[in-house]
Amino acid sequence: NKIDFIKQKIAQVNQEREARGKKLYILNPPLSEAQIQAFENQHFIQLPEEYRAFLLQVGNGNQETYSRGINRL
């Protein structure tokens, strides 16, 4: 599935970064269903299912600010 592919890709990128002596790409912890629902209610939106799955199972953006990073919700 797509989520497993994303997790594998992040692990692969981190192995490559570690081998080159670069900082690892670290994601913030995943969100709970309640946190996602609260965001949706606050902003009167419904997030796409694939993005919800990413937030629930992979993480809520990266911990550091990168020019091409994944922002937090």
Side-chain angles (χ1 to χ4, degrees):
N1 78 32
K2 290 181 182 181
I3 294 298
D4 289 335
F5 174 79
I6 291 169
K7 288 179 178 180
Q8 290 172 0
K9 190 65 175 175
I10 291 170
Q12 178 186 357
V13 167
N14 276 337
Q15 285 178 340
E16 293 168 3
R17 291 180 68 80
E18 186 174 35
R20 292 184 302 210
K22 293 190 173 189
K23 282 185 175 182
L24 299 182
Y25 190 76
I26 307 294
L27 294 174
N28 291 307
L31 297 177
S32 68
E33 180 66 34
Q35 289 172 304
I36 294 171
Q37 287 179 356
F39 178 88
E40 290 176 327
N41 292 338
Q42 180 182 0
H43 297 281
F44 305 101
I45 62 168
Q46 185 172 2
L47 297 172
E49 287 303 315
E50 288 182 340
Y51 186 47
R52 290 174 119 266
F54 181 89
L55 292 170
L56 287 165
Q57 299 174 44
V58 179
N60 181 24
N62 55 297
Q63 290 186 0
E64 293 196 35
T65 303
Y66 296 93
S67 60
R68 296 180 207 150
I70 301 171
N71 295 327
R72 285 190 282 185
L73 182 61

